Amino acid sequence: MTTARAFAFALPALALLLSACGSEPEPSGNDADSFAARIGKGEATPGAGGVPVAQGTVAPTVAQPMPGAAPGPFAPGTLTDPAAKTCGAPLMGPFIGKLADQATRAEIAKVLGRTDNLRFVTYGSIGNVNPDPTNPRLSIMLDAQNIIRDARCG
């Protein structure tokens, strides 16, 4: 490479280096007002002694449960899903947390009105279970202590 070509390549790099010299990034404040400005909220509202006062927040709106659903957070195909009535999962709400002994199992069969398409899935056998929320079979999920933890279609 000739000296002229090397100089032609080095000149833009040198100009870039020189332009960076002497310019320092603007230090960002670590106080509440600087933080509020950075996140686009304007200035913090100071209270006594200049300490920021927390502003009220709006609580999230939680939808009312759909008719026929068991209480709890909605999960498709489970007892909190009213569409799960095809398998009877919403009827199992009162049994959640109970021991799955013979008397409870008989009561479940009585409430459900059938014993076919009903299975009790024991703890640790989840690898053998293929959930299908559209299936009319009711799966009662048990924990390691034989306590009913969930009811699902499929």
Side-chain angles (χ1 to χ4, degrees):
M1 185 184 294
T2 65
T3 308
R5 281 183 81 177
F7 185 70
F9 283 119
L11 191 56
L14 183 60
L16 183 63
L17 271 172
L18 289 176
S19 68
C21 290
S23 64
E24 293 181 22
E26 186 176 307
S28 62
N30 203 16
D31 60 307
D33 291 333
S34 297
F35 178 73
R38 282 195 307 272
I39 62 172
K41 297 292 185 189
E43 294 187 14
T45 307
V51 177
V53 176
Q55 300 297 314
T57 57
V58 178
T61 304
V62 178
Q64 292 296 318
M66 295 178 73
F74 175 80
T78 66
L79 68 160
T80 59
D81 182 359
K85 63 185 173 203
T86 58
C87 72
L91 300 173
M92 299 299 109
F95 299 102
I96 302 299
K98 291 189 174 183
L99 180 65
D101 57 4
Q102 286 305 100
T104 304
R105 290 176 187 229
E107 185 67 24
I108 288 172
K110 182 179 171 186
V111 168
L112 195 57
R114 67 175 201 268
T115 55
D116 65 321
N117 278 339
L118 170 65
R119 69 175 170 180
F120 290 86
V121 181
T122 57
Y123 176 78
S125 64
I126 197 73
N128 302 328
V129 177
N130 236 352
D132 178 10
T134 62
N135 192 317
R137 176 180 52 210
L138 177 63
S139 297
I140 306 289
M141 314 304 278
L142 308 175
D143 68 6
Q145 287 77 38
N146 206 30
I147 304 292
I148 298 171
R149 294 297 173 197
D150 197 4
R152 304 175 183 204
C153 295

